[in-house]
Amino acid sequence: MSTPLTTMLENQLTTTWGITNSYSDAPMLMSGYTGRLWLYDSHPQFWSKHQVWEWLQQVMDMYQIDASTIPFQHFDMDGHQLCSLTYQDFNRAAGSMGPTLFHSITELKLGGPCHVEIGQQDLKPELDFSCPYPNISSASEENCDYVIHPLPPAASPAPSRPGIKKSCSRAHPKKHSPRGTHLWEFIRDILLTPERNPGLIKWEDRTAGVFRFLKSEAVAQLWGRKKNNSSMTYEKLSRAMRYYYKREILERVDGRRLVYKFGRNAKGWKESEK
DNA sequence: TCGGTATTTCCTGATT
DNA sequence: TAATCAGGAAATACCG
């Protein structure tokens, strides 16, 4: 029997976002959490506001950027408006992250819909970044100083770079992100960034650091997406969370399901630390 | 290459 | 009965 997880997750997300946000593109959104990234099922031109924000979130994830770096309110627009922004507009809206965002959206605009399944083996050659925007008038030659430097492999949040070799016996793609993207930090960042937290986790006691998973499987899938591990489940995630008890990054909260508390070794969650 | 670290995976059993 | 919790054990992947 397969995919109960998928069904569960879709139900969770549908429930949350259906109620709170009423996204008309929810079905497409759903598919992204079940093996590929939903954003790339459609051209950026057709993205909703929420999809624009999801794209921003993914770029931040890729670059390990603090969420506060990009003012989300400057991107309160749909895909059509986003695609009409110039390089200068991106610089004005996102400051130092402007070029990165511009590069990402331009690549997506040029690439169009992308349906790369995780684990897919037929690879396209890496993009030649030496001339990345052949059709974009706003990225004319005089503006090209910002595009000649190749971005790292995961520069644009392209879905699951399929070039990953599978050498491990469990047939999973590369799993570990570079140090600095620890699970507890991922959880903390969701809690601290309401734009990224559509009802997934909520504070139970903000000052004490107590929080509760509202959509446990959805959080696990987001964590799995971050780690390129489509088989992540809440059961596995919670095992990793329990290892934090010994290290005092988390403290036990007895008798309450899905409830955790930040411990003395967890940093950056307190309002006074922000 | 190796050891340490941080998960990830699988498992059994208990609890809600 | 299913979901969750608890924790042991081993595997995996990254980093210095």
Side-chain angles (χ1 to χ4, degrees), chain A residues 15 61 102 117 147 152 190 203-204 209:
Chain A
T15 301
D61 284 347
F102 180 77
E117 300 290 342
V147 301
I190 290 176
W203 289 110
E204 290 275 289

Side-chain angles (χ1 to χ4, degrees), chain A residues 3-191:
Chain A
T3 68
L5 173 64
T6 299
T7 307
M8 248 179 341
L9 177 68
E10 290 182 357
N11 288 340
Q12 286 192 354
L13 290 168
T14 303
T15 301
T16 305
W17 290 345
I19 291 170
T20 60
N21 295 310
S22 303
Y23 296 116
S24 59
D25 47 14
M28 185 171 62
L29 208 60
M30 297 307 104
S31 68
Y33 291 95
T34 59
R36 66 172 185 250
L37 301 180
W38 59 269
L39 276 173
Y40 311 99
D41 283 355
S42 65
H43 192 278
Q45 187 87 11
F46 306 114
W47 289 353
S48 64
K49 281 185 182 181
H50 181 75
Q51 285 175 295
V52 171
W53 281 20
E54 280 286 309
W55 163 74
L56 280 171
Q57 178 186 317
Q58 289 187 17
V59 175
M60 288 189 298
D61 284 347
M62 290 296 173
Y63 282 100
Q64 304 295 305
I65 301 164
D66 185 347
S68 61
T69 306
I70 300 176
F72 274 64
Q73 68 272 19
H74 291 177
F75 291 91
D76 184 21
M77 62 184 73
D78 59 24
H80 180 75
Q81 294 168 290
L82 183 74
C83 288
S84 68
L85 296 183
T86 64
Y87 176 69
Q88 286 77 15
D89 290 334
F90 272 96
N91 279 340
R92 273 192 291 272
S96 61
M97 284 306 300
T100 303
L101 295 174
F102 180 77
H103 178 101
S104 174
I105 197 63
T106 302
E107 192 176 301
L108 290 167
K109 280 157 70 179
L110 293 174
C114 177
H115 293 268
V116 181
E117 300 290 342
I118 287 174
Q120 191 174 330
Q121 297 300 314
D122 52 327
L123 309 181
K124 282 184 179 179
E126 291 293 319
L127 287 173
D128 177 5
F129 288 106
S130 61
C131 187
Y133 310 127
N135 300 321
I136 304 297
S137 57
S138 60
S140 55
E141 287 299 314
E142 60 268 30
N143 290 335
C144 263
D145 57 332
Y146 59 87
V147 301
I148 57 176
H149 308 293
L151 290 166
S156 180
S160 68
R161 289 279 174 171
I164 296 166
K165 293 264 194 301
K166 291 180 177 177
S167 57
C168 111
S169 59
R170 300 190 191 211
H172 287 303
K174 190 170 95 176
K175 282 179 187 153
H176 287 270
S177 300
R179 296 265 162 90
T181 55
H182 295 155
L183 173 58
W184 72 269
E185 294 171 315
F186 171 77
I187 299 297
R188 177 198 65 190
D189 290 347
I190 290 176
L191 279 162

Side-chain angles (χ1 to χ4, degrees), chain A residues 181-232:
Chain A
T181 55
H182 295 155
L183 173 58
W184 72 269
E185 294 171 315
F186 171 77
I187 299 297
R188 177 198 65 190
D189 290 347
I190 290 176
L191 279 162
L192 296 180
T193 315
E195 306 90 53
R196 300 172 66 181
N197 183 7
L200 302 179
I201 314 173
K202 77 165 199 177
W203 289 110
E204 290 275 289
D205 184 336
R206 180 69 178 83
T207 53
V210 180
F211 58 92
R212 183 160 60 94
F213 283 84
L214 300 175
K215 308 296 174 191
S216 54
E217 286 298 338
V219 174
Q221 285 295 293
L222 283 175
W223 174 239
R225 192 180 73 179
K226 191 176 184 70
K227 301 292 288 289
N228 285 331
N229 179 0
S230 59
S231 66
M232 179 52 62

